[in-house]
Amino acid sequence: MDYRHLGRSGLVISEIAYGNWLTHGSQVEEDAAIACVGAALEAGITTFDTADTYAGTRAESVLGRALKGERREGLEIFTKVFWPTGPGRNDRGLSRKHIMESIDNSLRRLGTDYVDLYQAHRFDRFTPLEETMEAFADVVHSGKAHYIGVSEWTADQIRRAHALARELRIPLVSNQPQYSALWRVIEGEVIPACEELGLGQLVFSPIAQGVLTGKYLPGQQPPEGSRATDDKGGANMISRWMRDDVLERVQRLRPLAEEAGLSPAQLAVAWVLQHPNVSAAIIGASRPEQVAENVKAAGVRLDAGLKTAIDEILEPVAITDPKRVHDNVPVSRP
């Protein structure tokens, strides 16, 4: 495993992080989830990402139990707040009330006194940003979180939050966006803003919900049990890629992966790690062997010719429009 600083902060994290979106507490049994966390620890992963809303709050609890007994100082535990965690009108968003209640609930479920990074899971258009950032400042100053991050925010939203964070003397150090060789919308505006301000990217779905593994073939139905057939496993997100023109081009990456001595999935993870603003790629797993396989992308450096070849193959189907960042920003209350 290789390790990197999170943005320009002093926090060092594993360049491959383990995330439990869609798996812990829902898609896999707890024994399998704990085995996956064990495989991540064995592979040198020290960075674990979750959120209060995953699996209706169960994912945090499973992760907390899986990490019980590990040396806390040797781990970086990240969680998030925004999406609904209950039926009440205030059980959502980035109000002061929800943030202050949510951090305590997350710490209880995770079985820890603090998280290393507390992230705004989306931008809240219905709460003043000043209120949100002041609440985050109180979380940091109380010792319940060391750093603050955001997820799927636009460049303008990040700039506004960073200015307030400086005034409040709290470290806003990261953005967590979707990013892969197929979904590149952050490159136009978000990454330049983050490079300027010192934020690093913690990217999720580096394998494009499994499409870049090459297991989905043009002209054929998705394999039974795959994510494309599982409504709980992100089938709605993967649908944008389930077109023959996309799948055919993904198949053309296989010879490049073989030439580099990598699986297609490892090639996809290594591709996102080539970007200097990417601090970590978040992988998920439903089986321990998936963890062991994907961490082999750590430390891989693709030569310029190989990366160019990948980009040229995917260029006609890759999504790069920076305005598509708004695709994942809700316009109504969650």
Side-chain angles (χ1 to χ4, degrees), residues 257-298:
E258 291 172 3
E259 185 177 342
L262 302 169
S263 70
Q266 292 162 1
L267 184 71
V269 175
W271 184 93
V272 301
L273 289 172
Q274 306 311 296
H275 200 294
N277 192 235
V278 171
S279 296
I282 301 171
I283 64 166
S286 56
R287 303 188 308 276
E289 54 267 29
Q290 292 174 323
V291 178
E293 190 66 18
N294 288 337
V295 295
K296 293 176 183 176

Side-chain angles (χ1 to χ4, degrees), residues 123-137:
F123 185 82
D124 186 349
R125 299 175 184 271
F126 301 95
T127 299
L129 185 56
E130 292 80 4
E131 176 182 339
T132 294
M133 297 306 293
E134 286 168 3
F136 277 137

Side-chain angles (χ1 to χ4, degrees), residues 37-84:
V37 171
L41 291 165
E42 186 175 345
I45 291 176
T46 59
T47 305
F48 294 85
D49 180 79
T50 187
D52 57 6
T53 192
Y54 293 167
T57 76
R58 294 185 299 276
E60 284 184 326
S61 298
V62 174
L63 182 61
R65 289 191 289 271
L67 293 174
K68 188 176 181 179
E70 296 295 321
R71 179 175 174 271
R72 180 64 183 89
E73 294 82 358
L75 303 173
E76 304 86 48
I77 299 176
F78 303 167
T79 194
K80 312 180 196 73
V81 57
F82 173 79
W83 294 109

